[in-house]
Amino acid sequence: MLLLVIGPFLAGCGGGGGGGQAGTPADTDLAVVYFDLENRTDVYRDDMLEIRFTAPVDRNSVTARTIRILTGPNQATPQNGALIVDGNKIFFDPTISQQQYDNGGFGAERDLPYGFQPLTDYQLYIPGYPNPKTISNYSGGPMVADYF
């Protein structure tokens, strides 16, 4: 499980593996190879999260159900924010809603200006195969395993 404490603390551990970059063939098995907040203790409320994968991610497979930032009792409440796909990277911006981002509102005043709540635990969860609600590569290959 990856546990984020936004504010002065961040603790974490997570699953993933392999190596990869944006030039990897589209049919490469999809797995997380890098998460920029793992084991960090200096997270700001407006920090954008970066997740890198072994292959380019199909933008149409990325939704609030396939990449989850959870908080609250039992880590069951989703964090609002925008998921931004760039090749083999997905960024999560906690200061702008997906709707505002999709409507080109990046230059406007942020509709979630405060981002993460201070001193709050967050968990990154990406369901993998055999869960049908998972991200996929350009060839439709699913995330090979859960990441949390």
Side-chain angles (χ1 to χ4, degrees), residues 49-121:
L49 310 182
E50 179 184 350
I51 310 157
R52 290 186 204 156
F53 297 87
T54 52
V57 176
D58 177 1
R59 154 179 342 266
N60 295 321
S61 71
V62 177
T63 69
R65 289 182 173 256
T66 59
I67 302 268
R68 303 177 194 168
I69 309 293
L70 302 168
T71 189
N74 301 318
Q75 301 294 312
T77 305
Q79 168 70 27
N80 289 322
L83 293 163
I84 303 159
V85 180
D86 181 17
N88 71 323
K89 300 174 193 168
I90 297 176
F91 298 94
F92 178 80
D93 186 339
T95 66
I96 186 171
S97 68
Q98 192 68 53
Q99 180 179 1
Q100 185 181 17
Y101 176 78
D102 290 344
N103 291 332
F106 234 156
E109 184 174 330
R110 304 298 177 118
D111 56 356
L112 304 170
Y114 301 109
F116 295 114
Q117 295 301 309
L119 303 175
T120 301
D121 295 339

Side-chain angles (χ1 to χ4, degrees), residues 3-75:
L3 184 63
L4 304 177
V5 181
I6 304 302
F9 304 102
L10 172 84
C13 62
Q21 46 194 294
T24 305
D27 61 350
T28 299
D29 286 343
L30 197 59
V32 173
V33 294
Y34 173 80
F35 178 54
D36 71 334
L37 295 184
E38 223 162 15
N39 300 316
R40 285 192 36 208
T41 59
D42 58 341
V43 179
Y44 295 95
R45 294 179 69 181
D46 61 351
D47 273 355
M48 191 177 299
L49 310 182
E50 179 184 350
I51 310 157
R52 290 186 204 156
F53 297 87
T54 52
V57 176
D58 177 1
R59 154 179 342 266
N60 295 321
S61 71
V62 177
T63 69
R65 289 182 173 256
T66 59
I67 302 268
R68 303 177 194 168
I69 309 293
L70 302 168
T71 189
N74 301 318
Q75 301 294 312

